[in-house]
Amino acid sequence: MSIASTVRHAELGDLVALLNNQQAAKLDVLAPASTLRASDGLIELAGVQPVLDERGVTPVDGLYRPTGAADSHLGSKLKIPAGYLKSLREIQRTDLYDANVNGLLHGPTDPRLPGGPDERSFLLRLFTSGKPDEPGMLRAVLSDRYGIIDNLDVLTAVLDGIRLADTEVTVRSCDLTESSMHCKVVSPKIRALAPTFLENYRTPFANPELEAERRRVAGQIDTGRRLAAREGRGYRPGAEPVVFAGLRFSNSEIGHHAVTLKPELVIQVCGNGLTLPLFAFTKRHVGDRLEIGGTRAWSQDTQRKRLQVITAETRDKVSEWMSPEFLAARVAELERHAGTPVTQPERTLEVMSKRLGFTEDERAGILSHFIAGGQLTAAGIANAVTSYSQTIPDPDRADDLDDLALTAMTLV
């Protein structure tokens, strides 16, 4: 498939270019279950109405390769364990894959057996390949009540809200996966000292191995260098215990989570982002029941109203979160817990990992960052979680870890 779907630690311009490419290849249709059929592990669509939109008439019928997310959606809709479908694909038993999916979509071939064809309709989110001999991509199999809010629209709406708030900010990093988009925004002029939270802290990325891990997930050395240069890390590591006001926003085009805005504290010395999920704003992807046909013609007024809400909420949240008062209050809360000593780091991390659901690899990675960071305190645990998260290839999991960093600190 020629359309790129993932990028880690990208700059805003790179993300916009990628989203524009995706937008040109997008195809969204509401299709009856009867028009879907599994064929050698691909999904074949037949009898689906072409999509008529500003691009002209686009045929829909053809072959589409399901993503891992789409396989999970199919499994959920048809009550097939997602792990089973995944294993069939891994061991290349597409005959069994086809038999399971087709049997539940269309009913048994033997009329004496119970069950019948699935009479539902599904919202299919697709990428076209642009080549007649190449399958497209089946991105999602969703409910006919799913409210589409695209990544590019969310990005535009949030940036409009930031502009209306008249606050000087920088988009410091962007991530995109098959399932979601994450963007991080910082305001370097809104800063505060956090002497206890950053006491004795040194950036773990002074360790060449840990820095290599962070650059590796970006996919190219140049991205890591551009990020470091842009964030002005020319000062002596650990010399300034400064945190900046920031926020994150995210979206999933395929139903994995809602549009979300949440504040974060950005640490100058290493770029760690400590999120504050208790203050988060969410906008769920729920819409009216859709009719058969191409979704781009459906309720443009409803779509505009959804985006206007996101823009207005962003403006209000930026005004609130990107303020010296909000930052000072959050730093004061951090400082109360930050200095608690950690005398048995391995035991502490073992217990904390069980409580918070960290894997063994995550626990070992956080311990490496804790040691490299040099802080034998609760703050050192939080900083280790947020620095380690920058080395994880999966942005969704990285975001989860950043949400848990404060909880980890308070558990200590």
Side-chain angles (χ1 to χ4, degrees), residues 1 9 19 30 34 37 48 69 89 119 136 183 185 214 240 256 259 307 331 341 357 372 383 387 397 402:
M1 186 68 201
H9 296 322
L19 293 180
L30 188 69
S34 60
R37 179 168 294 278
V48 180
R89 194 173 291 286
E119 297 182 351
C183 293
V185 177
R214 177 164 64 173
E240 297 175 320
H256 281 213
V259 179
L307 296 174
V331 169
N383 285 319
S387 63
R397 183 55 182 162
D402 289 342

Side-chain angles (χ1 to χ4, degrees), residues 224-272:
R225 288 173 179 162
R226 282 187 293 164
L227 286 171
R230 189 185 65 214
E231 292 176 14
R233 297 195 184 121
Y235 47 81
R236 182 167 58 87
E240 297 175 320
V242 171
V243 296
F244 302 126
L247 69 85
R248 293 188 188 186
F249 60 94
S250 58
N251 180 53
S252 174
E253 294 187 334
I254 62 169
H256 281 213
H257 58 74
V259 179
T260 304
L261 304 170
K262 56 191 172 187
E264 73 170 345
L265 308 180
V266 182
I267 297 171
Q268 177 175 256
V269 70
C270 58
N272 295 357

Side-chain angles (χ1 to χ4, degrees), residues 48 55 69 78 100 118 180 183 199 233 235 245 254 257 267 295-296 315 322 327 331 338 359 392 400:
V48 180
R55 299 173 297 182
L78 301 176
N100 279 271
D118 196 317
S180 61
C183 293
E199 185 176 7
R233 297 195 184 121
Y235 47 81
I254 62 169
H257 58 74
I267 297 171
T295 63
R296 291 186 184 275
R315 177 198 61 211
M322 302 294 207
L327 181 61
V331 169
T359 66
I392 297 177
D400 291 340

Side-chain angles (χ1 to χ4, degrees), residues 84-373:
Y84 173 61
L85 281 183
K86 180 181 178 182
S87 68
L88 292 180
R89 194 173 291 286
E90 288 174 347
I91 64 174
Q92 299 182 353
R93 287 302 306 269
T94 55
D95 56 331
L96 292 178
Y97 180 99
D98 295 350
N100 279 271
V101 171
N102 290 333
L104 290 167
L105 279 175
H106 305 295
T109 54
D110 187 339
R112 295 172 296 177
L113 295 176
D118 196 317
E119 297 182 351
R120 292 173 293 175
S121 292
F122 303 120
L123 172 61
L124 307 179
R125 305 217 69 185
L126 313 166
F127 281 148
T128 60
S129 68
K131 300 178 181 178
D133 58 343
E134 183 179 338
M137 180 186 291
L138 174 61
R139 308 170 59 213
V141 182
L142 302 167
S143 160
D144 60 2
R145 287 190 179 275
Y146 184 76
I148 291 175
I149 309 179
D150 282 337
N151 288 333
L152 189 58
D153 291 335
V154 169
L155 180 63
T156 302
V158 171
L159 294 179
D160 282 348
I162 291 172
R163 178 180 54 79
L164 292 171
D166 198 26
T167 300
E168 187 175 335
V169 302
T170 300
V171 178
R172 68 187 185 97
S173 183
C174 304
D175 300 315
L176 186 68
T177 71
E178 289 183 350
S179 62
S180 61
M181 172 186 73
H182 299 269
C183 293
K184 303 172 185 178
V185 177
V186 65
S187 179
K189 290 190 174 181
I190 302 174
R191 57 176 63 194
L193 293 176
T196 305
F197 185 71
L198 294 175
E199 185 176 7
N200 298 322
Y201 183 60
R202 57 181 181 264
T203 173
F205 300 114
N207 180 317
E209 292 183 4
L210 300 184
E211 174 61 13
E213 284 297 299
R214 177 164 64 173
R215 291 183 177 184
R216 180 182 57 81
V217 303
Q220 57 176 347
I221 296 295
D222 285 345
T223 300
R225 288 173 179 162
R226 282 187 293 164
L227 286 171
R230 189 185 65 214
E231 292 176 14
R233 297 195 184 121
Y235 47 81
R236 182 167 58 87
E240 297 175 320
V242 171
V243 296
F244 302 126
L247 69 85
R248 293 188 188 186
F249 60 94
S250 58
N251 180 53
S252 174
E253 294 187 334
I254 62 169
H256 281 213
H257 58 74
V259 179
T260 304
L261 304 170
K262 56 191 172 187
E264 73 170 345
L265 308 180
V266 182
I267 297 171
Q268 177 175 256
V269 70
C270 58
N272 295 357
L274 191 73
T275 59
L276 306 171
L278 289 178
F279 294 88
F281 160 79
T282 60
K283 178 70 175 172
R284 301 198 176 277
H285 292 254
V286 178
D288 299 327
R289 188 177 296 279
L290 304 172
E291 302 295 333
I292 297 295
T295 63
R296 291 186 184 275
W298 298 335
S299 191
Q300 293 298 315
D301 183 57
T302 299
Q303 178 79 339
R304 280 193 296 271
K305 288 178 179 176
R306 287 193 187 118
L307 296 174
Q308 286 169 359
V309 169
I310 294 170
T311 297
E313 286 289 344
T314 300
R315 177 198 61 211
D316 294 343
K317 295 304 182 185
V318 169
S319 297
E320 176 188 354
W321 298 339
M322 302 294 207
S323 69
E325 295 78 15
F326 183 87
L327 181 61
R330 303 292 78 78
V331 169
E333 292 167 0
L334 280 181
E335 293 283 277
R336 284 201 293 271
H337 302 283
T340 304
V342 175
T343 57
Q344 296 180 299
E346 290 194 27
R347 175 60 180 162
T348 299
L349 281 166
E350 181 182 351
V351 173
M352 182 194 71
S353 295
K354 290 178 180 178
R355 290 282 299 274
L356 299 181
F358 295 158
T359 66
E360 281 300 304
D361 286 345
E362 289 169 348
R363 182 190 64 78
I366 292 168
L367 178 60
S368 296
H369 281 252
F370 178 79
I371 294 169

